[in-house]
């Protein structure tokens, strides 16, 4: 059985990218969706604020659950959060220049 070291893993990633014809620039380090705890950590917003923004229609949530189930997974569309934060930053910049 082969030993797995950092070198072997790096080699595997390089081989996989070569095999799949993927360049490093095409691989996104930013996740598209995150669960609530990770979205809070990545974006610096509280759980309550994220739910409030969803209620306002500003941030998009995706709920994944089996038909008939009440419980499931809630994923936050991080692009919608980034748009909201960029909009806030733009409004703040306009306010400071006037």
């Amino acid at each position: 059985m082969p030993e797995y070291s950092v070198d072997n893993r790096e080699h595997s990633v390089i081989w996989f990218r070569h095999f799949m014809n993927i360049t490093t620039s095409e691989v996104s380090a930013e996740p598209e969706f995150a669960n609530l705890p990770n979205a809070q950590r990545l974006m610096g917003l509280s759980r309550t604020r994220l739910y409030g923004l969803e209620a306002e229609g500003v941030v998009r949530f995706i709920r994944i659950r089996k038909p008939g189930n009440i419980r499931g997974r809630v994923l936050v569309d991080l692009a919608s959060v980034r748009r909201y934060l960029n909009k806030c930053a733009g409004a703040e910049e306009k306010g400071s220049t006037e």
Side-chain angles (χ1 to χ4, degrees):
M1 183 168 212
E3 289 186 29
Y4 290 97
S5 67
V6 174
D7 293 335
N8 285 344
R9 278 187 242 137
E10 288 174 4
H11 177 72
S12 296
V13 169
I14 292 168
W15 178 84
F16 178 76
R17 286 182 181 157
H18 175 72
F19 179 75
M20 297 301 290
N21 198 20
I22 299 172
T23 63
T24 306
S25 62
E26 293 172 339
V27 178
S28 174
E30 296 286 327
E32 197 171 338
F33 300 97
N35 61 12
L36 278 166
N38 286 331
Q40 287 175 251
R41 183 180 51 79
L42 289 169
M43 299 298 168
L45 297 171
S46 70
R47 181 175 182 253
T48 303
R49 185 68 179 138
L50 287 169
Y51 273 114
L53 291 170
E54 185 215 9
E56 293 173 21
V58 176
V59 171
R60 187 174 139 218
F61 281 15
I62 296 175
R63 289 177 170 79
I64 302 170
R65 61 179 164 242
K66 293 180 183 177
N69 283 4
I70 295 171
R71 297 179 60 111
R73 299 279 293 177
V74 175
L75 299 177
V76 181
D77 180 357
L78 296 177
S80 66
V81 179
R82 285 187 195 98
R83 280 191 301 272
Y84 166 73
L85 293 174
N86 287 333
K87 184 179 172 184
C88 289
E92 190 175 286
E93 287 176 8
K94 286 181 184 178
S96 65
T97 58
E98 292 179 17

XYZ file of all heavy atoms in Angstrom:
787
model
N 0.842 -1.176 0.000
C 0.000 0.000 0.000
C 0.894 1.248 0.000
O 1.794 1.364 0.816
C -0.896 -0.032 1.239
C -1.874 1.095 1.326
S -3.054 0.727 2.626
C -4.427 1.510 1.916
N 0.644 2.196 -0.925
C 1.510 3.377 -0.992
C 1.287 4.301 0.186
O 0.190 4.394 0.724
C 1.084 4.060 -2.299
C -0.312 3.620 -2.515
C -0.408 2.242 -1.920
N 2.364 4.954 0.582
C 2.256 5.948 1.646
C 1.803 7.253 1.028
O 2.212 7.622 -0.060
C 3.610 6.150 2.324
C 4.033 4.986 3.166
C 5.303 5.307 3.914
O 5.537 6.484 4.217
O 6.058 4.376 4.172
N 0.913 7.951 1.738
C 0.427 9.239 1.247
C 1.146 10.348 1.993
O 1.069 10.447 3.197
C -1.085 9.359 1.443
C -1.837 8.450 0.533
C -2.291 7.212 0.961
C -2.057 8.811 -0.789
C -2.971 6.364 0.109
C -2.728 7.974 -1.651
C -3.189 6.755 -1.211
O -3.847 5.930 -2.061
N 1.855 11.127 1.259
C 2.551 12.265 1.842
C 2.076 13.522 1.129
O 1.320 13.459 0.168
C 4.061 12.111 1.680
O 4.398 12.206 0.313
N 2.538 14.640 1.595
C 2.178 15.905 0.975
C 2.602 15.901 -0.497
O 1.866 16.345 -1.363
C 2.810 17.088 1.731
C 2.558 18.393 1.017
C 2.276 17.145 3.149
N 3.790 15.373 -0.774
C 4.283 15.338 -2.143
C 3.378 14.511 -3.043
O 3.081 14.907 -4.156
C 5.700 14.771 -2.197
C 6.707 15.699 -1.518
O 6.423 16.905 -1.455
O 7.736 15.203 -1.057
N 2.927 13.349 -2.549
C 2.045 12.504 -3.349
C 0.721 13.186 -3.613
O 0.172 13.098 -4.701
C 1.808 11.164 -2.655
C 3.017 10.256 -2.759
O 3.888 10.489 -3.576
N 3.055 9.245 -1.925
N 0.158 13.881 -2.608
C -1.114 14.575 -2.793
C -0.965 15.711 -3.791
O -1.807 15.900 -4.658
C -1.641 15.104 -1.463
C -2.354 14.017 -0.676
C -3.018 14.593 0.548
N -2.384 13.941 1.687
C -2.010 14.527 2.785
N -2.198 15.797 2.956
N -1.438 13.854 3.751
N 0.128 16.480 -3.689
C 0.356 17.566 -4.629
C 0.522 17.026 -6.039
O -0.006 17.591 -6.988
C 1.578 18.380 -4.220
C 1.341 19.238 -2.999
C 2.602 19.931 -2.517
O 3.653 19.812 -3.177
O 2.518 20.589 -1.474
N 1.230 15.933 -6.164
C 1.413 15.306 -7.467
C 0.058 14.858 -8.019
O -0.213 15.029 -9.205
C 2.380 14.125 -7.375
C 2.547 13.401 -8.674
N 3.239 13.946 -9.734
C 2.069 12.205 -9.084
C 3.193 13.097 -10.743
N 2.498 12.033 -10.377
N -0.793 14.291 -7.180
C -2.111 13.835 -7.612
C -2.959 14.992 -8.115
O -3.653 14.878 -9.115
C -2.842 13.129 -6.472
O -2.146 11.964 -6.115
N -2.898 16.130 -7.419
C -3.669 17.303 -7.834
C -3.159 17.804 -9.175
O -3.939 18.125 -10.073
C -3.608 18.412 -6.761
C -4.176 19.712 -7.283
C -4.341 17.970 -5.509
N -1.846 17.875 -9.332
C -1.262 18.333 -10.598
C -1.655 17.385 -11.725
O -2.064 17.815 -12.804
C 0.269 18.450 -10.477
C 0.618 19.600 -9.526
C 0.911 18.660 -11.839
C 2.068 19.631 -9.107
N -1.567 16.094 -11.481
C -1.941 15.111 -12.489
C -3.410 15.232 -12.842
O -3.784 15.206 -14.007
C -1.650 13.698 -11.978
C -2.063 12.654 -12.981
C -1.341 12.211 -14.041
C -3.306 11.968 -13.018
N -2.058 11.280 -14.737
C -3.273 11.111 -14.132
C -4.454 11.990 -12.244
C -4.333 10.291 -14.479
C -5.508 11.172 -12.589
C -5.439 10.331 -13.688
N -4.274 15.401 -11.836
C -5.709 15.509 -12.069
C -6.020 16.733 -12.924
O -6.785 16.671 -13.874
C -6.468 15.585 -10.747
C -7.951 15.735 -10.917
C -8.731 14.660 -11.293
C -8.562 16.956 -10.703
C -10.088 14.791 -11.454
C -9.921 17.102 -10.861
C -10.689 16.014 -11.240
N -5.405 17.888 -12.579
C -5.631 19.105 -13.364
C -5.166 18.909 -14.812
O -5.820 19.350 -15.751
C -4.915 20.288 -12.737
C -5.592 20.790 -11.498
C -4.864 21.987 -10.946
N -5.513 22.451 -9.731
C -4.913 23.161 -8.813
N -3.641 23.514 -8.961
N -5.556 23.540 -7.733
N -4.008 18.258 -14.974
C -3.504 17.999 -16.319
C -4.452 17.068 -17.067
O -4.788 17.304 -18.223
C -2.101 17.396 -16.247
C -1.560 16.997 -17.585
N -1.157 17.922 -18.517
C -1.397 15.774 -18.149
C -0.760 17.282 -19.611
N -0.884 15.976 -19.400
N -4.888 16.000 -16.410
C -5.769 15.019 -17.021
C -7.098 15.649 -17.419
O -7.633 15.391 -18.482
C -6.002 13.847 -16.058
C -6.928 12.804 -16.599
C -6.489 11.924 -17.574
C -8.223 12.710 -16.146
C -7.342 10.962 -18.077
C -9.075 11.751 -16.633
C -8.638 10.865 -17.609
N -7.638 16.502 -16.554
C -8.926 17.137 -16.806
C -8.770 18.431 -17.617
O -9.742 19.099 -17.903
C -9.648 17.442 -15.491
C -9.990 16.211 -14.677
S -11.043 15.046 -15.552
C -12.559 15.976 -15.595
N -7.529 18.785 -17.978
C -7.225 19.989 -18.745
C -7.748 21.242 -18.034
O -8.406 22.094 -18.624
C -7.795 19.884 -20.164
C -7.161 20.879 -21.096
O -6.079 21.387 -20.825
N -7.824 21.155 -22.197
N -7.472 21.331 -16.751
C -7.902 22.452 -15.930
C -6.665 23.248 -15.543
O -5.700 22.689 -15.046
C -8.617 21.965 -14.657
C -9.855 21.161 -15.022
C -8.983 23.136 -13.760
C -10.503 20.482 -13.830
N -6.719 24.553 -15.747
C -5.621 25.398 -15.312
C -5.911 25.905 -13.906
O -7.056 25.904 -13.455
C -5.424 26.600 -16.256
O -6.597 27.405 -16.206
C -5.165 26.144 -17.676
N -4.887 26.360 -13.222
C -5.035 26.851 -11.856
C -5.981 28.041 -11.801
O -6.741 28.192 -10.856
C -3.665 27.238 -11.281
O -2.799 26.123 -11.411
C -3.764 27.628 -9.827
N -5.975 28.883 -12.822
C -6.840 30.059 -12.819
C -8.313 29.685 -12.925
O -9.181 30.455 -12.537
C -6.464 31.004 -13.953
O -6.638 30.359 -15.196
N -8.619 28.496 -13.459
C -10.006 28.064 -13.593
C -10.559 27.460 -12.313
O -11.760 27.304 -12.173
C -10.137 27.042 -14.721
C -9.862 27.618 -16.092
C -9.807 26.550 -17.155
O -9.593 25.369 -16.821
O -9.965 26.897 -18.330
N -9.700 27.102 -11.377
C -10.129 26.491 -10.126
C -10.411 27.606 -9.124
O -9.533 28.387 -8.796
C -9.057 25.521 -9.574
C -9.494 24.932 -8.256
C -8.787 24.429 -10.581
N -11.638 27.668 -8.655
C -12.024 28.741 -7.744
C -11.739 28.344 -6.301
O -12.099 27.259 -5.866
C -13.513 29.042 -7.904
O -13.927 29.968 -6.947
N -11.085 29.241 -5.575
C -10.820 28.995 -4.164
C -12.009 29.435 -3.321
O -12.122 29.058 -2.171
C -9.562 29.739 -3.725
N -12.883 30.241 -3.890
C -14.050 30.741 -3.178
C -15.213 29.775 -3.365
O -15.569 29.448 -4.488
C -14.451 32.118 -3.722
C -13.424 33.184 -3.512
C -13.364 33.651 -2.072
O -14.415 33.669 -1.410
O -12.271 33.993 -1.619
N -15.832 29.356 -2.280
C -17.003 28.482 -2.426
C -18.203 29.265 -2.951
O -18.315 30.472 -2.732
C -17.257 27.988 -1.000
C -16.634 29.009 -0.127
C -15.488 29.588 -0.892
N -19.073 28.578 -3.658
C -20.278 29.206 -4.203
C -21.378 29.264 -3.146
O -22.131 30.237 -3.076
C -20.752 28.403 -5.410
C -21.707 29.122 -6.292
C -21.960 28.358 -7.586
O -21.138 27.520 -7.985
O -23.003 28.621 -8.180
N -21.475 28.222 -2.334
C -22.468 28.126 -1.281
C -21.800 27.706 0.015
O -20.750 27.075 -0.009
C -23.548 27.087 -1.638
C -24.284 27.402 -2.899
C -23.927 26.825 -4.098
C -25.339 28.302 -2.892
C -24.598 27.122 -5.267
C -26.028 28.608 -4.054
C -25.646 28.020 -5.240
N -22.422 28.039 1.136
C -21.904 27.631 2.439
C -23.071 27.429 3.387
O -24.125 28.070 3.232
C -20.955 28.677 3.002
N -22.887 26.548 4.365
C -23.909 26.426 5.393
C -23.842 27.671 6.282
O -22.925 28.487 6.164
C -23.754 25.122 6.182
C -22.430 25.027 6.894
O -21.688 25.993 7.006
N -22.115 23.841 7.382
N -24.816 27.854 7.151
C -24.895 29.087 7.940
C -23.654 29.362 8.788
O -23.139 30.481 8.759
C -26.150 29.089 8.796
C -27.405 29.519 8.039
C -28.661 29.187 8.828
C -27.357 30.990 7.724
N -23.139 28.388 9.560
C -21.945 28.692 10.363
C -20.757 29.138 9.513
O -20.048 30.081 9.870
C -21.645 27.377 11.083
C -22.945 26.653 11.123
C -23.655 27.044 9.866
N -20.555 28.505 8.364
C -19.433 28.895 7.505
C -19.692 30.236 6.831
O -18.766 31.021 6.652
C -19.146 27.816 6.469
C -18.465 26.621 7.078
O -17.751 26.739 8.069
N -18.701 25.448 6.521
N -20.926 30.509 6.453
C -21.263 31.810 5.867
C -21.027 32.922 6.883
O -20.511 33.988 6.535
C -22.708 31.814 5.383
N -21.398 32.678 8.133
C -21.152 33.662 9.190
C -19.664 33.949 9.307
O -19.242 35.104 9.385
C -21.648 33.123 10.539
C -23.138 33.090 10.692
C -23.511 32.435 12.006
O -24.013 31.339 12.018
N -23.248 33.106 13.109
N -18.865 32.894 9.329
C -17.423 33.035 9.495
C -16.797 33.729 8.285
O -15.983 34.636 8.435
C -16.804 31.648 9.693
C -15.310 31.654 9.959
C -14.767 30.250 10.154
N -15.132 29.314 9.105
C -14.535 29.243 7.912
N -13.541 30.049 7.621
N -14.914 28.350 7.030
N -17.207 33.343 7.081
C -16.615 33.903 5.873
C -17.012 35.362 5.644
O -16.209 36.165 5.185
C -17.038 33.085 4.651
C -16.435 31.696 4.516
C -17.151 30.911 3.425
C -14.960 31.798 4.200
N -18.259 35.708 5.961
C -18.772 37.032 5.624
C -18.838 37.999 6.802
O -19.071 39.183 6.615
C -20.166 36.906 4.997
C -20.162 36.117 3.723
S -19.145 36.955 2.490
C -18.983 35.719 1.262
N -18.691 37.497 8.010
C -18.700 38.374 9.179
C -20.078 38.888 9.549
O -20.201 39.948 10.162
N -21.111 38.175 9.156
C -22.487 38.556 9.491
C -23.082 37.524 10.441
O -22.760 36.346 10.368
C -23.346 38.637 8.226
C -22.924 39.684 7.200
C -23.716 39.514 5.917
C -23.112 41.081 7.763
N -23.966 37.981 11.312
C -24.581 37.063 12.269
C -25.658 36.216 11.586
O -26.147 36.554 10.501
C -25.212 37.844 13.421
O -26.359 38.537 12.962
N -26.023 35.152 12.246
C -27.081 34.272 11.748
C -28.390 35.043 11.621
O -29.102 34.929 10.619
C -27.220 33.109 12.738
C -28.247 32.094 12.380
C -28.172 30.935 13.394
N -29.114 29.917 13.062
C -30.232 29.688 13.733
N -30.523 30.416 14.791
N -31.058 28.755 13.367
N -28.690 35.856 12.627
C -29.915 36.654 12.614
C -29.919 37.619 11.436
O -30.936 37.783 10.754
C -30.050 37.442 13.938
O -30.018 36.515 15.023
C -31.313 38.254 13.975
N -28.784 38.260 11.181
C -28.694 39.214 10.071
C -28.868 38.505 8.736
O -29.544 39.007 7.834
C -27.355 39.951 10.112
C -27.240 41.031 9.078
C -28.195 42.170 9.407
N -28.059 43.213 8.400
C -29.080 43.854 7.881
N -30.301 43.621 8.301
N -28.893 44.760 6.966
N -28.274 37.319 8.577
C -28.421 36.565 7.337
C -29.880 36.183 7.098
O -30.393 36.333 5.983
C -27.526 35.323 7.354
C -26.032 35.581 7.180
C -25.226 34.325 7.483
C -25.736 36.086 5.777
N -30.572 35.700 8.144
C -31.990 35.368 8.001
C -32.814 36.611 7.681
O -33.750 36.565 6.889
C -32.528 34.683 9.263
C -32.339 33.187 9.258
C -31.490 32.572 10.168
C -33.007 32.372 8.359
C -31.305 31.197 10.185
C -32.842 31.004 8.351
C -31.990 30.416 9.266
O -31.823 29.060 9.265
N -32.461 37.753 8.282
C -33.160 39.002 8.004
C -32.975 39.441 6.563
O -33.931 39.887 5.909
N -31.765 39.310 6.058
C -31.491 39.664 4.668
C -32.221 38.739 3.710
O -32.673 39.163 2.641
C -29.985 39.646 4.403
C -29.177 40.741 5.086
C -27.689 40.474 4.945
C -29.541 42.108 4.528
N -32.377 37.484 4.101
C -33.144 36.555 3.265
C -34.609 36.979 3.242
O -35.251 36.977 2.189
C -33.023 35.122 3.777
C -33.712 34.143 2.833
C -34.380 32.974 3.515
O -34.486 32.964 4.748
O -34.811 32.072 2.793
N -35.149 37.351 4.395
C -36.547 37.786 4.475
C -36.792 39.037 3.628
O -37.872 39.204 3.052
C -36.935 38.042 5.929
N -35.791 39.906 3.545
C -35.890 41.121 2.732
C -35.715 40.824 1.246
O -35.940 41.695 0.407
C -34.821 42.134 3.159
C -35.009 42.691 4.546
C -33.826 43.548 4.982
O -33.062 44.035 4.107
O -33.657 43.717 6.197
N -35.267 39.627 0.907
C -35.044 39.256 -0.479
C -33.688 39.682 -1.015
O -33.458 39.673 -2.217
N -32.788 40.047 -0.118
C -31.461 40.527 -0.517
C -30.487 39.365 -0.674
O -29.691 39.342 -1.607
C -30.926 41.535 0.524
C -29.519 41.982 0.182
C -31.859 42.723 0.638
N -30.560 38.413 0.226
C -29.667 37.250 0.217
C -30.495 36.018 -0.110
O -31.626 35.873 0.352
C -28.966 37.094 1.595
C -28.225 35.787 1.684
C -28.013 38.247 1.828
N -29.921 35.142 -0.921
C -30.623 33.936 -1.352
C -30.166 32.727 -0.539
O -28.960 32.502 -0.372
C -30.322 33.716 -2.828
C -31.107 32.611 -3.454
C -30.842 32.580 -4.955
N -30.737 31.173 -5.294
C -29.903 30.667 -6.156
N -29.073 31.434 -6.807
N -29.860 29.382 -6.385
N -31.134 31.983 -0.012
C -30.877 30.721 0.673
C -31.391 29.596 -0.212
O -32.375 29.761 -0.927
C -31.628 30.641 2.002
C -31.006 31.401 3.144
C -30.026 32.350 2.956
C -31.434 31.166 4.434
C -29.478 33.053 4.017
C -30.900 31.860 5.507
C -29.926 32.799 5.298
N -30.740 28.467 -0.122
C -31.211 27.260 -0.794
C -31.473 26.225 0.277
O -30.608 25.952 1.105
C -30.165 26.747 -1.802
C -29.978 27.780 -2.896
C -30.579 25.403 -2.375
C -28.900 27.444 -3.868
N -32.676 25.698 0.275
C -33.054 24.679 1.253
C -33.134 23.333 0.559
O -33.843 23.192 -0.432
C -34.376 25.052 1.903
C -34.212 26.240 2.822
C -35.545 26.671 3.416
N -35.336 27.658 4.463
C -35.094 28.944 4.256
N -35.022 29.392 3.026
N -34.916 29.780 5.265
N -32.391 22.381 1.115
C -32.342 21.039 0.542
C -32.930 20.081 1.566
O -32.433 19.984 2.689
C -30.890 20.634 0.211
C -30.274 21.648 -0.754
C -30.847 19.226 -0.366
C -28.798 21.466 -0.951
N -33.989 19.413 1.177
C -34.589 18.408 2.059
C -35.375 17.407 1.218
O -35.781 17.705 0.105
C -35.460 19.046 3.113
C -36.625 19.823 2.597
C -37.464 20.416 3.733
N -38.326 21.443 3.195
C -38.295 22.710 3.534
N -37.446 23.127 4.441
N -39.103 23.577 2.984
N -35.572 16.256 1.779
C -36.343 15.219 1.113
C -37.816 15.603 1.144
O -38.267 16.250 2.103
C -36.142 13.871 1.807
C -34.743 13.335 1.667
C -34.599 12.014 2.363
C -33.170 11.519 2.278
N -32.977 10.271 3.005
N -38.580 15.214 0.129
C -40.008 15.530 0.116
C -40.709 15.002 1.376
O -40.487 13.868 1.788
C -40.530 14.812 -1.126
C -39.333 14.660 -2.002
C -38.165 14.509 -1.073
N -41.485 15.856 2.000
C -42.218 15.478 3.201
C -41.463 15.733 4.497
O -42.052 15.699 5.573
N -40.167 15.973 4.422
C -39.376 16.251 5.624
C -39.459 17.719 6.005
O -39.556 18.590 5.150
C -37.907 15.883 5.419
C -37.659 14.399 5.491
O -38.591 13.613 5.627
N -36.414 14.011 5.387
N -39.409 17.969 7.287
C -39.394 19.341 7.786
C -37.955 19.839 7.854
O -37.664 20.981 7.502
C -40.054 19.412 9.177
C -41.540 19.061 9.055
C -39.885 20.789 9.790
C -42.242 18.900 10.381
N -37.056 18.996 8.297
C -35.658 19.387 8.460
C -34.871 19.091 7.197
O -35.202 18.212 6.427
C -35.050 18.650 9.638
C -35.721 19.004 10.956
C -35.114 18.233 12.089
N -33.701 18.540 12.199
C -33.162 19.224 13.193
N -33.916 19.667 14.165
N -31.875 19.463 13.227
N -33.808 19.851 7.021
C -32.927 19.651 5.875
C -31.688 20.518 6.033
O -31.328 20.906 7.142
N -31.068 20.846 4.922
C -29.876 21.698 4.924
C -30.243 23.068 4.384
O -31.029 23.193 3.462
C -28.790 21.111 4.012
C -28.283 19.752 4.393
C -27.269 19.795 5.456
N -26.047 20.431 4.981
C -25.016 20.649 5.757
N -25.047 20.291 7.013
N -23.943 21.219 5.295
N -29.647 24.083 4.968
C -29.790 25.450 4.471
C -28.420 25.898 3.994
O -27.453 25.868 4.742
C -30.310 26.408 5.569
C -30.342 27.836 5.059
C -31.685 25.979 6.047
N -28.349 26.286 2.735
C -27.109 26.791 2.161
C -27.305 28.243 1.766
O -28.364 28.625 1.277
C -26.706 25.972 0.928
C -26.435 24.492 1.170
C -26.120 23.801 -0.149
C -25.294 24.308 2.153
N -26.289 29.040 1.984
C -26.329 30.464 1.674
C -25.589 30.686 0.359
O -24.462 30.212 0.190
C -25.665 31.295 2.795
C -25.723 32.776 2.475
C -26.311 31.001 4.137
N -26.224 31.396 -0.557
C -25.588 31.771 -1.815
C -24.624 32.919 -1.508
O -25.042 34.045 -1.260
C -26.650 32.203 -2.823
C -26.076 32.601 -4.164
O -24.839 32.606 -4.324
O -26.866 32.923 -5.058
N -23.345 32.613 -1.475
C -22.348 33.598 -1.064
C -22.217 34.755 -2.055
O -21.863 35.859 -1.665
C -21.002 32.921 -0.833
C -20.980 31.895 0.310
C -19.610 31.247 0.403
C -21.366 32.536 1.624
N -22.533 34.514 -3.319
C -22.484 35.601 -4.304
C -23.511 36.675 -3.961
O -23.234 37.871 -4.095
C -22.725 35.055 -5.708
N -24.684 36.274 -3.471
C -25.708 37.258 -3.096
C -25.265 38.054 -1.869
O -25.536 39.253 -1.774
C -27.058 36.584 -2.852
O -27.021 35.723 -1.731
N -24.545 37.411 -0.959
C -24.024 38.126 0.216
C -22.947 39.116 -0.225
O -22.913 40.258 0.238
C -23.472 37.157 1.281
C -22.914 37.907 2.473
C -24.550 36.176 1.730
N -22.075 38.687 -1.150
C -21.032 39.586 -1.654
C -21.643 40.801 -2.354
O -21.164 41.925 -2.183
C -20.106 38.839 -2.616
C -19.152 37.908 -1.924
C -18.143 37.317 -2.913
N -17.503 36.186 -2.296
C -17.855 34.917 -2.490
N -18.843 34.610 -3.299
N -17.227 33.943 -1.875
N -22.709 40.577 -3.144
C -23.382 41.706 -3.804
C -23.919 42.683 -2.776
O -23.776 43.899 -2.918
C -24.518 41.205 -4.698
C -24.070 40.684 -6.039
C -25.228 40.449 -6.987
N -26.211 39.489 -6.492
C -26.135 38.177 -6.681
N -25.123 37.663 -7.352
N -27.068 37.379 -6.206
N -24.528 42.156 -1.716
C -25.063 43.010 -0.655
C -23.947 43.810 0.011
O -24.071 45.029 0.198
C -25.800 42.158 0.382
C -26.098 42.889 1.658
C -27.091 43.867 1.712
C -25.370 42.635 2.812
C -27.357 44.563 2.882
C -25.630 43.320 3.988
C -26.625 44.280 4.020
O -26.876 44.969 5.176
N -22.849 43.155 0.345
C -21.738 43.844 1.008
C -21.100 44.888 0.097
O -20.752 45.985 0.543
C -20.694 42.831 1.488
C -21.156 41.893 2.609
C -20.091 40.836 2.885
C -21.500 42.662 3.856
N -20.975 44.574 -1.191
C -20.425 45.548 -2.142
C -21.355 46.749 -2.283
O -20.899 47.884 -2.403
C -20.172 44.904 -3.499
C -18.978 43.976 -3.482
O -18.060 44.149 -2.693
N -19.008 42.974 -4.339
N -22.653 46.492 -2.282
C -23.637 47.580 -2.349
C -23.522 48.466 -1.115
O -23.552 49.696 -1.213
C -25.040 46.995 -2.464
C -26.125 48.008 -2.633
C -27.475 47.323 -2.767
C -28.599 48.329 -2.742
N -29.910 47.679 -2.780
N -23.358 47.858 0.057
C -23.190 48.622 1.301
C -21.907 49.447 1.250
O -21.896 50.607 1.662
C -23.146 47.697 2.509
S -24.730 46.940 2.886
N -20.838 48.856 0.744
C -19.565 49.574 0.653
C -19.679 50.734 -0.322
O -19.151 51.825 -0.067
C -18.453 48.626 0.217
N -20.411 50.553 -1.433
C -20.605 51.616 -2.405
C -21.427 52.756 -1.838
O -21.123 53.931 -2.060
N -22.455 52.432 -1.073
C -23.286 53.465 -0.455
C -22.492 54.229 0.595
O -22.646 55.440 0.750
C -24.521 52.828 0.179
N -21.632 53.530 1.302
C -20.801 54.178 2.327
C -19.809 55.138 1.673
O -19.584 56.235 2.165
C -20.057 53.105 3.133
C -19.367 53.623 4.353
C -18.773 52.489 5.161
O -19.544 51.772 5.812
O -17.547 52.322 5.101
N -19.231 54.735 0.536
C -18.278 55.600 -0.167
C -18.968 56.854 -0.702
O -18.437 57.937 -0.635
C -17.621 54.838 -1.314
C -16.613 53.822 -0.848
C -16.041 53.011 -2.001
O -16.333 53.350 -3.177
O -15.323 52.042 -1.729
N -20.189 56.695 -1.239
C -20.933 57.858 -1.755
C -21.269 58.826 -0.621
O -21.193 60.035 -0.800
C -22.216 57.391 -2.445
C -21.996 56.760 -3.779
C -23.303 56.363 -4.398
C -23.097 55.639 -5.708
N -24.361 55.200 -6.297
N -21.622 58.290 0.532
C -21.963 59.120 1.685
C -20.776 59.892 2.217
O -20.899 61.021 2.691
N -19.588 59.335 2.123
C -18.404 60.003 2.670
C -17.855 61.067 1.729
O -17.159 61.968 2.148
C -17.313 58.977 2.984
O -16.860 58.366 1.791
N -18.185 60.997 0.422
C -17.688 61.975 -0.522
C -18.580 63.199 -0.631
O -18.188 64.214 -1.160
C -17.521 61.374 -1.941
O -18.778 60.870 -2.372
C -16.473 60.266 -1.922
N -19.801 63.097 -0.147
C -20.729 64.225 -0.241
C -20.574 65.167 0.908
O -20.131 64.939 1.936
C -22.173 63.713 -0.287
C -22.440 62.979 -1.573
C -23.881 62.446 -1.618
O -24.736 62.909 -0.839
O -24.127 61.577 -2.428
